[in-house]
């Protein structure tokens, strides 16, 4: 197995490595901590656990006598000390296999149970060197890549003037992106670390391209930087960018806060949603520029939400949802009819209004800043997939929030607030907008139904399936517009929806 080495000059460096590991390890990782007494095994275990708990005062007793100590953290952690283990077979009695299946296992003195521990584990071997310690990290390639990435983030922060920053997990999402909250030692306001390594190509689907290319999705951080600059220049509250490594996909950005537009029970706060939809009205009233220079020789061209992108997204319904729902894939006739309907609907969209789409403008990506005024109260994040397309798309994403139920009364208030904002700007075709809103709502929900299944089956993330009933309730409403009658009839015939007359 490959290895990494680090010289830890003092205890602070050992604690820092423990924090860095807390951002790299995941469920199912077994980490052996090897070295003489006083080599740093307990120090790094304690730092790791406190970082995972985001609690610098967390009591971390030595498991020397109990042999194992369990912690119910963001990822469950079991801390084993096998120094007093009489026989490797005793590991079963300690619940090792169950702990590893549910979380992370830290194992001091792994030599005591070498044959009973996973062969594909991570090992940190500590040796004394001068006044400090040298640690050699070995493990499977995938695990070492995660650890190396975390160490690269530490180096990026150091180069940005935050060598002693405290890193804490913030969130991940349905993509490969991850976020950390960065606390500087000098007491400056917290910042956000955006970790978005360049996307790895997927299987070729059509025209020699993979899904991200066909859907025009961001494959690096360049679009995020460009759209942030565009929004900020126009007076919207997107994060400022303090440091960036475009090649590695690392950004240090402004922390816009953690208060959102949902209440403590995850219900929509109407006034905040209304302010968010009014922001869209302002955004769509001014034509967006298409080419944004962010560095010498680097210009981001905002792509179109074109026919190819719209159809590859709607294909998720027929490629992922339908086989899961029925247990059988779509027939050739069903596929042909489905995409023919979408071609006609996309032709209809051609006469509608086009402008900048943020693409995921809904509750997870909207922050509320009560200490600000006007548009500054709405913080916007996660807009790297922005495109130029029907303005109704973003309104549909907000009014039919994928992760929270928007009741019919609030939905009508939101649409009314958007229409009023646009009419105040002049030159707004309300009828065409409402037609396109239903169409874009249908397109988005067809996409989401497939995404929830894909996340469960391909990516091992079943938690998103809880949104499926809401997605279909939204789809049912979207399909009430007469222009979508052919799609509604196709869905009923395919067994995706039930005809109202059958109820």
């Amino acid at each position: 197995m490959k290895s990494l080495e680090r010289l830890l000059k003092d205890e602070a460096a050992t604690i820092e490595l423990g924090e860095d590991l807390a951002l790299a390890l995941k469920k199912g990782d077994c980490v052996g901590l090897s070295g003489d007494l006083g080599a740093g095994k307990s120090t790094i275990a304690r730092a790791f656990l406190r970082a995972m708990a985001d609690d610098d005062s967390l009591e971390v007793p030595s498991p020397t006598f109990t042999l194992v100590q369990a912690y119910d953290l963001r990822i469950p952690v079991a801390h084993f000390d096998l120094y007093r283990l009489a026989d490797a077979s005793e590991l079963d009695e300690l619940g090792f296999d169950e702990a590893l299946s549910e979380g992370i296992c830290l194992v001091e003195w792994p030599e005591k149970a070498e044959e009973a521990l996973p062969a594909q584990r991570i090992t940190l071997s500590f040796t004394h060197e001068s006044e400090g310690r040298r640690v050699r990290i070995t493990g499977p390639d995938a695990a070492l890549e995660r650890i190396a990435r975390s160490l690269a983030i530490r180096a990026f922060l150091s180069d940005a003037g935050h060598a002693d920053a405290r890193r804490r997990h913030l969130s991940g999402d349905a993509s490969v992106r991850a976020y950390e909250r960065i606390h500087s030692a000098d007491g400056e306001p917290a910042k956000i670390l955006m970790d978005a390594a360049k996307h790895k190509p997927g299987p070729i689907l059509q025209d020699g391209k993979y899904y991200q290319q066909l859907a025009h999705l961001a494959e690096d951080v360049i679009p995020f930087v460009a759209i942030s600059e565009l929004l900020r220049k126009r007076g919207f509250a997107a994060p400022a960018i303090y440091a960036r490594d475009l090649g590695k996909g690392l950004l240090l950005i402004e922390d816009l806060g953690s208060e959102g537009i949902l209440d403590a029970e995850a219900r929509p706060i109407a006034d905040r949603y209304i302010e968010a939809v009014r922001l869209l009205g302002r955004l769509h009233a001014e034509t967006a520029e298409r080419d944004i220079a962010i560095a010498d020789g680097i210009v981001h061209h905002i792509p179109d939400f074109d026919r190819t992108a719209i159809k590859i997204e709607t294909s998720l319904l027929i490629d992922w949802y339908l086989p899961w729902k029925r247990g059988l894939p779509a027939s050739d006739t069903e596929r042909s009819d489905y995409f023919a309907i979408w071609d006609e609907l996309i032709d209809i969209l051609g006469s509608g209004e086009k402008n900048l789409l943020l693409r995921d403008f809904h509750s997870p990506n909207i922050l509320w800043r009560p200490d600000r005024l006007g548009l500054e109260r709405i913080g916007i994040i996660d807009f790297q997939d922005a495109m130029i397309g029907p303005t109704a798309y973003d309104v549909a994403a907000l009014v039919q929030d994928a992760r929270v139920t928007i009741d019919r009364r609030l939905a009508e208030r939101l649409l009314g607030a958007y229409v009023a904002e646009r009419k105040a700007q002049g030159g707004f075709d309300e009828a065409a907008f409402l037609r396109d809103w239903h169409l874009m709502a249908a397109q988005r929900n067809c996409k989401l139904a497939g995404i929830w299944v894909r996340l469960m089956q391909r990516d091992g993330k079943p938690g998103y399936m809880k949104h499926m009933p809401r997605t279909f309730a939204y789809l049912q409403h979207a399909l009430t517009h007469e222009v979508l009658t052919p799609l509604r009839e196709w869905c009923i015939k395919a067994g995706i929806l039930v005809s109202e007359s059958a109820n």
Side-chain angles (χ1 to χ4, degrees), residues 5-8 34-36 39-40 124-130 132-136:
E5 286 197 10
R6 283 290 186 275
L7 178 62
L8 308 174
S34 296
D36 296 336
L124 275 64
S125 300
F126 294 87
T127 55
H128 293 282
E129 183 170 320
S130 185
R133 308 172 178 93
R134 181 169 293 276
V135 60
R136 183 169 181 261

Side-chain angles (χ1 to χ4, degrees), residues 37 108-109 136 167 188 199 285 353 358 410 419 465:
L37 289 170
E108 296 190 47
W109 300 101
R136 183 169 181 261
R167 301 168 57 193
E188 290 184 6
H199 182 85
E353 180 187 63
L358 300 175
L410 178 56
V419 169
M465 289 294 288

Side-chain angles (χ1 to χ4, degrees), residues 137-426:
I137 308 172
T138 58
D141 289 352
L144 281 188
E145 284 180 11
R146 284 186 271 121
I147 294 170
R149 180 72 177 178
S150 187
L151 296 177
I153 290 172
R154 176 66 69 178
F156 168 74
L157 292 172
S158 180
D159 291 342
H162 302 284
D164 299 321
R166 184 165 61 95
R167 301 168 57 193
R168 291 295 183 265
H169 172 83
L170 179 58
S171 69
D173 57 24
S175 74
V176 296
R177 288 184 297 274
Y179 301 87
E180 301 175 17
R181 183 161 273 124
I182 306 301
H183 301 273
S184 299
D186 57 11
E188 290 184 6
K191 298 176 177 60
I192 301 297
L193 184 286
M194 179 176 173
D195 176 10
K198 187 173 177 61
H199 182 85
K200 294 180 180 179
I204 299 301
L205 298 180
Q206 68 182 59
D207 302 329
K209 297 179 179 180
Y210 46 88
Y211 182 87
Q212 282 71 20
Q213 293 173 318
L214 294 167
H216 309 318
L217 301 181
E219 298 189 69
D220 53 38
V221 296
I222 289 173
F224 183 93
V225 174
I227 301 302
S228 177
E229 292 188 4
L230 172 63
L231 291 172
R232 288 174 57 79
K233 184 173 70 174
R234 292 179 56 181
F236 299 103
I241 298 172
Y242 303 121
R244 63 195 195 187
D245 187 323
L246 301 181
K248 287 188 173 67
L250 297 173
L251 301 177
L252 188 63
I253 66 178
E254 182 182 4
D255 184 352
L256 297 180
S258 56
E259 188 172 351
I261 58 174
L262 305 178
D263 65 17
E265 282 74 44
R267 296 173 303 196
I269 300 174
D271 290 347
R272 297 182 184 183
Y273 269 81
I274 288 172
E275 286 304 304
V277 83
R278 290 184 62 243
L279 180 147
L280 288 178
R282 299 284 185 89
L283 179 68
H284 295 156
E286 183 180 341
T287 302
E289 57 193 87
R290 298 295 301 259
D291 297 297
I292 307 167
I294 64 168
D296 291 340
I298 300 179
V299 177
H300 175 60
H301 178 77
I302 303 177
D304 286 314
F305 190 38
D306 57 20
R307 184 179 301 270
T308 299
I310 292 173
K311 288 179 68 176
I312 198 64
E313 289 188 346
T314 59
S315 71
L316 295 172
L317 178 81
I318 205 166
D319 291 340
W320 289 91
Y321 176 80
L322 189 61
W324 172 81
K325 171 72 173 178
R326 297 194 319 197
L328 293 171
S331 68
D332 290 342
T333 299
E334 284 176 323
R335 295 184 67 86
S336 176
D337 290 347
Y338 180 69
F339 290 117
I341 290 169
W342 275 110
D343 274 324
E344 293 178 1
L345 293 173
I346 293 166
D347 288 342
I348 292 171
L349 284 172
S351 64
E353 180 187 63
K354 308 291 191 301
N355 208 319
L356 182 69
L357 311 183
L358 300 175
R359 295 279 291 149
D360 278 310
F361 192 72
H362 57 163
S363 54
N365 303 327
I366 303 173
L367 300 170
W368 181 255
R369 309 199 297 168
D371 57 328
R372 305 301 178 99
L373 299 174
L375 294 179
E376 278 284 313
R377 289 183 294 180
I378 297 291
I380 312 170
I381 59 175
D382 200 17
F383 41 69
Q384 59 279 333
D385 295 328
M387 301 182 200
I388 301 295
T391 50
Y393 184 96
D394 277 348
V395 185
L398 183 66
V399 175
Q400 292 194 335
D401 194 322
R403 287 168 172 79
V404 62
T405 298
I406 306 295
D407 64 37
R408 194 62 56 83
R409 183 189 304 178
L410 178 56
E412 291 174 354
R413 287 182 63 193
L414 293 173
L415 285 170
Y418 179 83
V419 169
E421 189 71 37
R422 293 302 309 279
K423 283 185 173 180
Q425 306 292 328

Side-chain angles (χ1 to χ4, degrees), residues 423-482:
K423 283 185 173 180
Q425 306 292 328
F428 179 66
D429 186 336
E430 181 178 354
F433 164 76
L434 291 175
R435 175 202 67 196
D436 292 352
W437 182 90
H438 282 83
L439 206 160
M440 287 286 87
Q443 190 273 345
R444 182 170 169 81
N445 287 301
C446 285
K447 173 184 74 170
L448 288 172
I451 285 179
W452 305 146
V453 176
R454 187 176 70 178
L455 284 167
M456 174 181 63
Q457 294 185 335
R458 188 193 71 180
D459 302 337
K461 299 178 179 180
Y464 289 90
M465 289 294 288
K466 67 184 179 183
H467 302 306
M468 192 70 81
R470 179 186 307 112
T471 298
F472 271 88
Y474 285 155
L475 178 60
Q476 286 269 26
H477 177 64
L479 294 176
T480 58
H481 195 285
E482 61 183 3

